[in-house]
């Protein structure tokens, strides 16, 4: 069984595969950006006709939204890649993903801005400003988070005990199983969203959920279940109080991110920032306890 898992793991989550995937995603992102711009040009020149409900074909700036969608998919792959290697970096990738989602939303909203003296009285412009402030704060919080990860004793070299070795093997098996789930979910979500956004002639298109809610809402639900499973298995090799609290807190942080997909406006931003602040605070306290125990 270990050989089978190792074979699949090396086929999907090895360093070599990661580097190839990065190159492929970059080319796909560039191609999708060009195709999106081409579609916008054809629509504006009346060569093709689409439903009036589609907002992603009205402004060239909105074309930036498409390549960012593929970059986000690669970030999810990196999340699976780091799952067996480091719990802290795995959580950090979740924070990167939600930050990129906010940036992508900013690019999308840029095409709908109403520049006027009454900026703060226009709801969409006010939310756009809140997103700008949120991304600066999130970027700074992620910097602090990775700085804390670097200083964390847990992330430094440890003696490889049989219990730790088995736990790492379990994480590799889980990450490997998540790859096909991620692929199926991403293909289905992107295909459904693409059809409904660009080619659906039904009025139902006005009620279609944002792609964030279609893919990431479901995917983060799966991550929560995985995090709980890993927390339970982590007791087999460590029952230190600060590690248990840290890992439990990371699950709460993931749940807050998941909840953000079911909200909109300021509440969405508050949940996202709170999730990252909570994770950073827990890691900081965890490191302080580690120093005391030295």
């Amino acid at each position: 069984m270990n050989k089978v898992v190792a074979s699949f793991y090396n086929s999907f989550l090895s360093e070599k595969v990661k580097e190839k995937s990065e190159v492929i995603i970059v080319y796909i992102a560039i191609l999708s950006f060009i195709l999106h711009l081409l579609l916008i040009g054809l629509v504006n020149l009346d060569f093709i006709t689409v439903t009036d409900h589609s907002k992603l074909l009205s402004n060239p700036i909105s074309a930036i939204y498409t390549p960012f969608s593929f970059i986000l998919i690669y970030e999810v792959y990196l999340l699976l890649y780091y799952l067996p290697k480091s719990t802290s970096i795995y959580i950090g990738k979740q924070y990167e993903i939600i930050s990129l989602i906010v940036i992508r939303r900013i690019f999308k909203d840029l095409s709908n801005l109403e520049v006027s003296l009454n900026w703060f009285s226009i709801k969409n412009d006010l939310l756009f400003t809140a997103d700008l402030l949120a991304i600066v704060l999130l970027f700074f919080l992620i910097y602090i988070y990775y700085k804390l990860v670097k200083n964390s004793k847990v992330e430094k070299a440890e003696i490889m005990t049989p219990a730790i070795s088995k736990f790492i093997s379990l994480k590799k098996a889980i990450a490997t199983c998540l790859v096909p789930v991620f692929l199926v979910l991403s293909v289905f979500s992107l295909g459904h969203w693409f059809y409904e956004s660009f080619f659906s002639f039904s009025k139902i298109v006005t009620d279609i959920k944002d792609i964030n809610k279609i893919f990431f809402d479901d995917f983060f639900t799966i991550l929560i279940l995985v995090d709980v499973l890993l927390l339970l298995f982590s007791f087999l090799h460590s029952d230190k109080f600060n590690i248990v609290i840290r890992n439990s807190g990371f699950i709460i942080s993931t749940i807050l991110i998941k909840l953000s997909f079911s909200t909109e406006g300021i509440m969405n931003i508050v949940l996202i920032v709170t999730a990252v602040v909570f994770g950073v605070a827990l890691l900081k306290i965890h490191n302080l306890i580690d120093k005391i125990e030295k």
Side-chain angles (χ1 to χ4, degrees):
M1 180 61 69
N2 288 336
K3 289 182 179 179
V4 172
V5 172
S7 176
F8 278 101
Y9 179 80
N10 290 330
S11 299
F12 294 116
L13 296 169
S14 66
E15 178 69 24
K16 188 176 181 180
V17 174
K18 181 178 80 71
E19 292 176 356
K20 287 183 178 180
S21 300
E22 183 176 356
V23 174
I24 292 171
I25 285 294
V26 168
Y27 280 116
I28 291 175
I30 293 172
L31 180 61
S32 68
F33 180 59
I34 295 172
L35 288 176
H36 195 157
L37 285 174
L38 181 61
L39 277 173
I40 292 172
L42 292 174
V43 169
N44 289 337
L45 293 173
D46 295 326
F47 281 105
I48 59 175
T49 304
V50 295
T51 172
D52 292 335
H53 298 297
S54 179
K55 296 180 180 179
L56 292 176
L57 294 175
S58 58
N59 192 311
I61 295 177
S62 62
I64 304 173
Y65 189 84
T66 302
F68 256 81
S69 298
F70 289 103
I71 292 172
L72 272 167
I73 288 176
Y74 179 67
E75 283 291 322
V76 173
Y77 171 79
L78 287 181
L79 185 148
L80 300 180
Y81 174 81
Y82 283 107
L83 172 58
K85 295 175 172 57
S86 168
T87 300
S88 296
I89 295 180
Y90 160 72
I91 296 297
K93 287 299 173 183
Q94 294 185 23
Y95 298 158
E96 290 181 20
I97 287 171
I98 196 63
S99 298
L100 284 172
I101 288 174
V102 175
I103 289 180
R104 186 177 65 168
R105 186 167 66 202
I106 289 173
F107 281 127
K108 181 183 177 182
D109 293 341
L110 270 172
S111 59
N112 300 318
L113 283 180
E114 298 178 37
V115 181
S116 71
L117 296 176
N118 299 320
W119 181 279
F120 292 103
S121 63
I122 302 173
K123 182 181 178 181
N124 289 338
D125 292 355
L126 187 61
L127 292 176
F128 175 80
T129 304
D131 278 341
L132 288 178
L133 296 175
I135 198 60
V136 172
L137 180 57
L138 288 171
F139 197 22
F140 181 68
L141 287 170
I142 290 172
Y143 157 74
I144 295 175
Y145 180 85
Y146 281 124
K147 189 174 181 180
L148 291 171
V149 169
K150 187 177 180 180
N151 296 331
S152 176
K153 189 172 71 175
V154 174
E155 299 303 326
K156 296 178 181 177
E158 297 184 46
I159 298 174
M160 188 59 68
T161 64
I164 293 177
S165 179
K166 288 181 180 179
F167 186 57
I168 292 175
S169 297
L170 173 67
K171 292 200 291 184
K172 285 184 177 181
I174 291 175
T176 303
C177 291
L178 284 176
V179 171
V181 174
F182 153 65
L183 290 175
V184 171
L185 190 59
S186 60
V187 170
F188 173 79
S189 300
L190 280 173
H192 175 76
W193 169 79
F194 185 80
Y195 170 77
E196 295 284 11
S197 296
F198 297 112
F199 300 107
S200 176
F201 291 92
S202 169
K203 292 185 179 180
I204 299 176
V205 76
T206 57
D207 300 323
I208 291 175
K209 294 193 298 182
D210 184 6
I211 190 173
N212 298 342
K213 299 176 182 178
I214 294 173
F215 174 78
F216 289 102
D217 191 13
D218 294 334
F219 191 75
F220 269 85
T221 300
I222 296 172
L223 289 185
I224 292 168
L225 300 178
V226 169
D227 290 347
V228 172
L229 183 63
L230 291 177
L231 174 65
L232 295 175
F233 274 103
S234 69
F235 283 103
L236 295 176
H237 73 86
S238 177
D239 59 354
K240 290 181 63 176
F241 175 74
N242 59 318
I243 294 178
V244 172
I245 291 295
R246 184 200 68 167
N247 292 344
S248 300
F250 283 161
I251 295 175
I252 296 173
S253 182
T254 303
I255 291 173
L256 290 174
I257 292 175
K258 192 255 188 254
L259 289 174
S260 72
F261 295 117
S262 60
T263 61
E264 297 179 353
I266 298 298
M267 192 61 196
N268 173 267
I269 297 171
V270 169
L271 283 172
I272 292 171
V273 173
T274 301
V276 181
V277 169
F278 188 70
V280 171
L282 281 175
L283 187 57
K284 176 62 177 177
I285 298 170
H286 165 271
N287 289 0
L288 291 174
I289 295 176
D290 255 357
K291 289 181 180 179
I292 294 174
E293 295 179 350
K294 284 183 179 180

